[in-house]
Amino acid sequence: PKVNTEPKKMANAVLSQILSTNQETEIGKKWNFKGISTIDEFRKTIPLTTYDDYKPYIDRIAESGEQNLITEDTVIQFAPSSGTTGKMKLIPVTRTTLEKALPVPNTRSRILLLMSVPIDQSYMTPSKMPIQAMSVGAMWHQFETYPNIYVGPKEAYNLESLSVALYVQLLFGLKDTTVNVIKSIFMYNFYLG
């Protein structure tokens, strides 16, 4: 593996790319991302923030689906925080975030996915964006992006009962002799299966 010998240079490059990409967002205009080119300028220009500083923007995305507020990338779902410090918070998740969350599967694979994540309409924002764990969102994203590598129809994963879902998924897996990968978000699903 190649080791980066110039981390500060790399950090500046990443920051510049993020600021450039998001300079036309509402926050990018408010904090003048166009005028920032170094980490030191960023530190001097951008105040320390908390979730509450972003909450009005997040609420607008959740309520109406409005975009280009805090990120140029399209927000497609929300991940809930655990709520350990109080009320649950919604964390905006973009398609790019989901694509980076899980590695791209080998397209020659046939994957038996063991999970049950019914999309419950009660866990949707008013703008119809799902509220779900990022790991679940990433799995659904991969399932939709690479449908030909997963064994069984999407309906086999959208079942209320985990034991029934795993049973149905295993039936599809046993029938498909080309399965070469078994995958799950949680190890417990392997035990139940």
Side-chain angles (χ1 to χ4, degrees), residues 84-168:
T84 54
T85 60
K87 188 178 174 188
M88 176 186 76
K89 296 175 178 79
L90 296 179
I91 312 302
V93 178
T94 67
R95 183 170 309 284
T96 302
T97 305
L98 289 181
E99 288 168 357
K100 290 180 179 180
L102 286 177
V104 174
N106 181 334
T107 54
R108 293 184 306 249
S109 296
R110 285 292 289 158
I111 301 172
L112 171 59
L113 183 59
L114 298 175
M115 69 176 200
S116 176
V117 283
I119 297 179
D120 185 338
Q121 296 301 314
S122 65
Y123 294 107
M124 300 286 244
T125 66
S127 62
K128 302 294 183 213
M129 288 187 204
I131 300 170
Q132 58 193 1
M134 200 164 126
S135 57
V136 171
M139 285 292 214
W140 276 127
H141 177 70
Q142 276 200 350
F143 197 91
E144 291 168 355
T145 305
Y146 308 100
N148 296 329
I149 66 171
Y150 288 99
V151 175
K154 189 173 181 180
E155 292 77 14
Y157 299 90
N158 195 17
L159 298 170
E160 291 294 328
S161 165
L162 176 60
S163 58
V164 171
L166 294 175
Y167 177 74
V168 170

Side-chain angles (χ1 to χ4, degrees), residues 73-91:
D73 202 3
T74 303
V75 175
I76 60 172
Q77 76 168 57
F78 289 92
S81 71
S82 63
T84 54
T85 60
K87 188 178 174 188
M88 176 186 76
K89 296 175 178 79
L90 296 179
I91 312 302

